[in-house]
Amino acid sequence: MNIILLGAPGAGKGTQAVRIAEKYKIPHISTGDIFRKNIKEGTLVGLKAKSYIDKGQLVPDEVVVEIVENRLKEADCKAGYLLDGFPRTLAQAEALSKITKIDAVINLDIDLKKLADRLTGRRICRDCGESYHISTYSDKACKKCGGEIYQRDDDNIATVNSRLQVYENQTKPLIEYYSSKNLLKNIDGGQDIDKVFEDIVNIL
Ligand code: ADP
Ligand code: ADP
Ligand code: ZN
């Protein structure tokens, strides 16, 4: 099954994506993770993306689309995949529709007022990608794999505010777009993590 996880920054996409990928044995493709890996490795793509990411803006469509197009050609995507953080603009969604067929779009619906706190308190495992929140987990090592836990550079309040604005203007229209294609499944992302996952499994 080819699935898109839609939702504002901090809605819980990464948290749920790790669980979905594990349960359904499909690759978790996060464009944000791909950019962070490229930045760390100092590639040209990383260099291009960094200036946008630091400002909380979107990386240009053509850069992201090319990355996703190449990734979806890899063998592990043959039996399905989970897209996390892509598409984020109507142009990306249109480009994607020419590359592949999507079976379901899961929208994690949440009050935007809750997100600044989720994002500024977010901590992430460098190795397995598990998301934590400082209010409930303050260890330095990942509970799942022992990896180092760190805070993303762009999870500061100034960048977070800009990312939420960008979401409103550029990504939110995708809800209507996929709804009109009868692909949208809305889930209440304000529930606790296990309940959100249960709702997702019921839909899939
Ligand atoms: P996204 O990938 O959509 O940006 P994350 O999955 O990284 O979001 O979650 C953002 C933050 O919110 C993390 O600190 C995570 O632990 C926390 N979080 C995720 N889902 C929930 C939830 N259902 N309830 C409370 N906190 C959550
Ligand atoms: P979040 O957890 O806040 O949803 P991501 O890890 O998905 O964030 O993305 C981090 C940053 O990477 C974004 O703020 C944006 O600058 C860039 N990015 C990720 N995916 C895309 C995309 N599909 N289009 C444009 N920029 C993207
Ligand atoms: Zn880990």
Side-chain angles (χ1 to χ4, degrees):
M1 194 148 50
N2 302 338
I3 308 165
I4 292 173
L5 254 186
L6 206 59
K13 301 182 299 297
T15 301
Q16 299 300 331
V18 169
R19 289 161 174 77
I20 297 167
E22 202 174 311
K23 181 171 172 75
Y24 295 96
K25 311 259 183 291
I26 52 176
H28 166 203
I29 302 170
S30 155
T31 41
D33 285 349
I34 293 173
F35 286 134
R36 282 183 288 278
K37 184 163 180 278
N38 274 278
I39 289 171
K40 199 171 149 197
E41 290 170 357
T43 70
L44 196 59
V45 163
L47 216 61
K48 253 193 245 176
K50 190 175 179 339
S51 59
Y52 296 96
I53 293 176
D54 285 348
K55 281 184 264 187
Q57 295 169 357
L58 295 182
V59 178
D61 289 333
E62 57 277 14
V63 177
V64 194
V65 168
E66 192 186 339
I67 286 174
V68 172
E69 186 166 12
N70 289 331
R71 180 65 186 86
L72 294 183
K73 284 180 192 151
E74 287 179 33
D76 63 339
C77 292
K78 283 225 164 60
Y81 53 79
L82 176 65
L83 286 170
D84 161 10
F86 182 94
R88 262 177 150 99
T89 65
L90 285 169
Q92 290 176 19
E94 282 293 342
L96 182 67
S97 73
K98 297 192 176 79
I99 300 169
T100 184
K101 187 180 163 295
I102 296 300
D103 299 303
V105 179
I106 295 169
N107 180 46
L108 297 179
D109 186 27
I110 182 161
D111 183 353
L112 293 196
K113 288 193 211 76
K114 288 193 177 167
L115 297 179
D117 173 62
R118 277 201 189 182
L119 289 164
T120 53
R122 170 163 61 187
R123 301 292 184 272
I124 293 179
C125 173
R126 251 188 229 289
D127 294 342
C128 75
E130 179 74 1
S131 266
Y132 294 98
H133 196 274
I134 191 76
S135 63
T136 50
Y137 192 78
S138 55
D139 286 19
K140 291 199 164 51
C142 174
K143 176 155 68 174
K144 286 176 73 186
C145 77
E148 182 204 353
I149 287 178
Y150 79 108
Q151 180 174 28
R152 271 167 51 174
D153 289 341
D154 60 343
D155 279 345
N156 63 77
I157 190 64
T159 311
V160 160
N161 284 331
S162 150
R163 284 155 62 203
L164 292 174
Q165 198 63 54
V166 164
Y167 169 78
E168 277 284 339
N169 298 335
Q170 296 184 256
T171 308
K172 216 174 163 189
L174 292 179
I175 296 177
E176 189 48 45
Y177 175 87
Y178 284 116
S179 174
S180 74
K181 295 187 182 310
N182 285 322
L183 290 173
L184 197 83
K185 316 281 180 199
N186 256 314
I187 290 197
D188 177 3
Q191 311 172 93
D192 70 46
I193 291 172
D194 292 340
K195 182 66 174 70
V196 174
F197 185 57
E198 197 184 308
D199 284 3
I200 292 174
V201 171
N202 282 335
I203 277 173
L204 295 177

